[in-house]
Amino acid sequence: MTTRQIQLRYFASIREVIGTGSEPWHTAAGTLAELRDELVARGGAHAEALARGRAVRVSLNQAMCDESAALPEGAEVAFFPPVTGG
């Protein structure tokens, strides 16, 4: 199984639940969806913040994208709650 070194970033309420704004991560995931599932499987705060029932937006190398996007080596992946305005 090949693993990739990536950088995870968390913003707003997701950062508050997880307790950090960023962390390095080794992953075997091939897509952003697989990565999210891998992080949920970690349990604890990651499972709470990134659970499938929660609305979460994701960016890959600073571009918002769909979770079907392929995950390259060295990627920066950021998770955001939906943006509300006012």
Side-chain angles (χ1 to χ4, degrees), residues 14-39:
I14 295 173
R15 179 183 64 232
E16 291 170 18
V17 171
I18 291 176
T20 186
S22 67
E23 63 181 323
W25 185 251
H26 286 287
T27 182
T31 66
L32 294 176
E34 291 172 2
L35 173 64
R36 183 173 175 185
D37 290 340
E38 185 179 277
L39 292 169

Side-chain angles (χ1 to χ4, degrees), residues 53-85:
R54 296 185 65 125
V56 174
R57 300 195 63 202
V58 63
S59 73
L60 176 62
N61 296 327
Q62 301 182 6
M64 299 307 287
C65 61
D66 185 89
E67 287 190 16
S68 64
L71 185 60
E73 171 74 31
E76 178 188 84
V77 178
F79 293 97
F80 304 82
V83 176
T84 58

